[in-house]
Amino acid sequence: MPRAPAETDFIVVGAGIAGLRAAIELASAGRVVVLTKREVTDSNTQWAQGGIAAALSDEDEVGLHFQDTLNAGDGLCNPEAVKILVEEGPERIEELIAWGTQFDRDGTKLAFGREGAHSRNRILHAHGDSTGREIARALYAKARTLPNITVCEFEFSTDLLLEAGQVRGIHLIDEAGSRQSISASAVLLASGGLGQLYRNTTNPGVATGDGVAMAFRAAAEISDIEFIQFHPTALYLQNAPRFLLSEALRGEGAYLRNSEKIRFMSNYHEMAELAPRDVVARAIVHELEVSRAHNPAVYLDLTHLEAARIKERFPRIYSTCLQYNIDITTDLIPIHPAAHYSMGGIRTNMQGQTSVRQLYAAGETAATGVHGANRLASNSLLEGLVFGARAGSAMRGELRDVKSAAKRSIPQEGSSSDDAASLAEAHIQEIKNLMWQDVGIIRTGSGLNQAIQKLEAIQLSTPRSRRAWEARNLHTAGLLVARSALAREESRGAHYRTDFPTHNDNKFLKHSIATARDIHFA
Ligand SMILES: Cc1cc2nc3c(=O)[nH]c(=O)nc-3n(C[C@H](O)[C@H](O)[C@H](O)COP(=O)(O)OP(=O)(O)OC[C@H]3O[C@@H](n4cnc5c(N)ncnc54)[C@H](O)[C@@H]3O)c2cc1C
């Protein structure tokens, strides 16, 4: 893989669906450097199982997809963004198919699956439950055909290069601790989510909120960051990652059972197992709290479903669980909710422009307002695709002459010190634990205040390693989530406070906006 050059026309941080799609759009205008902090295959996109939503079937209409998205967003979606998502989505997907994406088919026709809160069958999937991996494969293959695109792996972006309040490029640190800066006409942050803020998460290790933290340090506005979606069903086994057990399993008829092996979801919602994600996640937490069992547990049960169908429809889930000695067709699967998706992020307009000049954002790190207070399942891949393309298209207009930045420096002293690494790790574990405890699925004013105080008390020294940068970024992102959650004195979508358990439309039917000065609602 090539090393990052000192200068280029456009920088894209991230090679998930949003970054790759933007890079393809940009390639016709100039040289594009795509940076990833680990391998190109290490992203949330690679893990997306269920699918990508689009009103493409004969029985569907974009108007219905629009309405379903608004309903899930609990009053807070930006209708303009949703309209763009559902109207441009089908064309972007046709393009993906033309570039070689192999979605699953019934005969020659595309096969559309159903997921909770979608009123029609509109979820395209690939290889059963490997949709994100297949889309990323096709996008990367397309990007490789475009000579203007250079993908540089293991180049960790630390901060934006700023001059007089404008973005002029980016600072990097490589695995050995060498630093470098790259100049460019404009930078797109497509750096994904921040699930690693939490002890339990479905997100891979790369999802440490770097984009949000970098943008905030550069004085960009951060919006709706209090809205974190917790997925109700992640595999819960000691020494196993919190592997996602897709909502589509419940769509196929899987049950949830408590420690006593009794189904409980109908006590919480008329749609039982197909209730919205936040309702299911809170119900599970409640069942665990009230259980009298010595080791309370909640299980996903597929044992009544046809084994052959499950193996065919969910091959990746089947084989992954089997690695941990669970045969999902015959055994109950222990599960727990886990942090899954960030609805908020760097505030952008419909072209991906942030409040800082020459800085763009797209995908999970951005907040277009498309998801409101809660994301409709399978809309996030689509958002990355549609708004990644839009951001790339808008950035083309930023092209100008670029001065080369300084060359690569040698590693700084102390960058690989064991003490510094273990301190960074300890800080990260502390942040994850306190975020899970007090800024998680069920929140209170006192818990949030306590979390903020504890976060503020963490003393981080100047980062000299990539892990120390991640600690710093998680710390920044954690404070942003906690402070925004404290400011929103109501419950809405994925944000639930026991001290303000209902909506307060008068004060809070608005987006939160966090700046270095304050958090306000607009
Ligand atoms: C387990 C799981 C299942 C999911 N299932 C679905 C689904 O079925 N349907 C759906 O629509 N959505 C799903 N989602 C959500 C969806 O996958 C993500 O929201 C989406 O893929 C995000 O894409 P992205 O391009 O914004 O970021 P990502 O795909 O996360 O890519 C981020 C990129 O940024 C790079 N990066 C990050 N920080 C830095 C840095 N400091 N320097 C350099 N590079 C950096 C990373 O290396 C990576 O290349 C799922 C998510 C998970 C975790």
Side-chain angles (χ1 to χ4, degrees):
M1 274 284 165
R3 306 297 295 265
E7 168 262 312
T8 184
D9 294 316
F10 305 106
I11 294 170
V12 173
V13 180
I17 189 165
L20 287 173
R21 184 59 191 82
I24 291 167
E25 201 68 24
L26 279 165
S28 59
R31 296 159 300 157
V32 189
V33 169
V34 179
L35 303 166
T36 72
K37 68 199 248 188
R38 292 194 199 151
E39 288 93 351
V40 77
T41 49
D42 207 344
S43 66
N44 277 8
T45 298
Q46 292 282 336
W47 287 95
Q49 299 174 347
I52 185 163
L56 272 164
S57 88
D58 297 342
E59 292 90 57
D60 206 357
E61 292 167 29
V62 287
L64 294 172
H65 190 188
F66 178 78
Q67 200 50 54
D68 291 344
T69 304
L70 293 192
N71 292 347
D74 206 1
L76 218 59
C77 291
N78 172 358
E80 188 191 357
V82 180
K83 194 161 178 289
I84 290 170
L85 179 86
V86 298
E87 284 184 351
E88 295 182 12
E91 196 184 329
R92 293 282 85 83
I93 295 215
E94 300 282 9
E95 203 172 55
L96 274 187
I97 295 171
W99 293 339
T101 309
Q102 302 282 326
F103 289 115
D104 294 338
R105 290 174 184 264
D106 284 332
T108 55
K109 286 185 142 183
L110 288 168
F112 294 96
R114 183 79 160 258
E115 279 186 344
H118 284 275
S119 60
R120 290 289 185 276
N121 286 9
R122 66 167 70 99
I123 317 298
L124 290 170
H125 43 87
H127 308 301
D129 52 6
S130 293
T131 314
R133 193 156 65 185
E134 170 60 12
I135 294 174
R137 182 202 62 73
L139 283 174
Y140 187 56
K142 171 74 184 168
R144 301 261 331 236
T145 66
L146 302 171
N148 258 347
I149 299 181
T150 309
V151 178
C152 303
E153 292 181 307
F154 294 97
E155 294 284 12
F156 186 110
S157 310
T158 53
D159 255 324
L160 292 153
L161 198 167
L162 289 163
E163 264 174 42
Q166 294 184 28
V167 169
R168 297 285 193 214
I170 205 141
H171 299 293
L172 301 176
I173 181 168
D174 72 7
E175 283 206 296
S178 311
R179 287 154 184 269
Q180 188 197 346
S181 305
I182 319 179
S183 305
S185 299
V187 174
L188 173 74
L189 293 173
S191 48
L194 41 72
Q196 287 294 325
L197 262 181
Y198 290 91
R199 186 169 72 211
N200 293 305
T201 180
T202 61
N203 289 193
V206 288
T208 52
D210 298 349
V212 164
M214 274 189 270
F216 185 69
R217 288 194 289 271
E221 292 175 342
I222 307 298
S223 184
D224 291 341
I225 197 86
E226 64 275 27
F227 295 111
I228 306 287
Q229 186 171 77
F230 291 85
H231 200 288
T233 56
L235 182 64
Y236 195 58
L237 285 176
Q238 237 184 353
N239 304 326
R242 299 288 169 260
F243 178 70
L244 180 81
L245 298 163
S246 164
E247 192 146 23
L249 291 165
R250 278 172 289 130
E252 285 286 320
Y255 299 146
L256 284 165
R257 296 189 184 277
N258 62 17
S259 300
E260 287 73 40
K261 315 283 158 56
I262 296 169
R263 281 181 72 190
F264 55 87
M265 271 313 301
S266 54
N267 301 336
Y268 295 88
H269 198 277
E270 63 203 15
M271 291 175 75
E273 275 85 355
L274 293 180
R277 280 181 186 176
D278 54 309
V279 176
V280 182
R282 285 198 293 276
I284 293 171
V285 169
H286 189 248
E287 288 295 317
L288 291 167
E289 271 171 15
V290 298
S291 169
R292 299 213 183 113
H294 178 56
N295 276 323
V298 170
Y299 303 94
L300 195 63
D301 178 6
L302 286 77
T303 56
H304 55 290
L305 302 175
E306 197 198 322
R309 160 93 186 145
I310 295 298
K311 288 182 198 171
E312 181 208 354
R313 176 71 180 82
F314 304 104
R316 195 167 173 190
I317 295 177
Y318 177 77
S319 61
T320 304
C321 289
L322 212 51
Q323 282 173 22
Y324 298 101
N325 291 325
I326 292 184
D327 179 339
I328 62 172
T329 63
T330 54
D331 301 326
L332 295 186
I333 318 167
I335 54 102
H336 201 283
H340 185 55
Y341 184 78
S342 168
M343 267 71 75
I346 308 160
R347 190 166 189 237
T348 71
N349 66 11
M350 297 304 100
Q351 279 68 46
Q353 277 171 313
T354 71
S355 53
V356 175
R357 285 171 63 190
Q358 279 86 47
L359 180 64
Y360 289 71
E364 191 167 339
T365 196
T368 56
V370 99
H371 305 298
N374 213 352
R375 173 186 70 120
L376 182 65
S378 289
N379 262 356
S380 39
L381 286 175
L382 191 67
E383 187 201 14
L385 196 62
V386 167
F387 286 91
R390 285 187 146 243
S393 167
M395 272 172 82
R396 292 197 296 225
E398 303 277 8
L399 191 64
R400 60 183 168 77
D401 283 342
V402 173
K403 275 198 302 252
S404 188
K407 291 275 180 320
R408 193 173 282 270
S409 75
I410 52 163
Q412 293 196 345
E413 214 172 295
S415 60
S416 58
S417 121
D418 289 348
D419 286 354
S422 57
L423 195 59
E425 205 53 58
H427 285 321
I428 289 173
Q429 293 316 317
E430 188 181 353
I431 293 167
K432 280 159 129 21
N433 284 332
L434 69 89
M435 290 296 292
W436 184 256
Q437 185 63 36
D438 285 322
V439 199
I441 300 169
I442 295 174
R443 301 166 174 179
T444 64
S446 58
L448 291 167
N449 268 313
Q450 190 171 300
I452 292 167
Q453 277 171 23
K454 286 185 187 165
L455 282 166
E456 285 173 345
I458 295 176
Q459 300 283 328
L460 296 167
S461 45
T462 309
R464 294 188 193 286
S465 69
R466 296 159 58 126
R467 198 59 177 148
W469 275 102
E470 288 184 338
R472 186 177 182 202
N473 292 338
L474 286 167
H475 186 251
T476 304
L479 271 169
L480 283 164
V481 177
R483 287 182 180 143
S484 303
L486 184 64
R488 185 174 286 281
E489 292 182 332
E490 65 159 358
S491 292
R492 185 181 296 278
H495 169 69
Y496 184 75
R497 284 186 58 166
T498 53
D499 46 353
F500 295 99
T502 55
H503 285 179
N504 179 345
D505 285 351
N506 281 341
K507 280 180 82 174
F508 295 113
L509 193 54
K510 294 174 180 168
H511 300 281
S512 67
I513 299 173
T515 66
R517 279 188 315 280
D518 67 358
I519 292 170
H520 58 278
F521 291 84

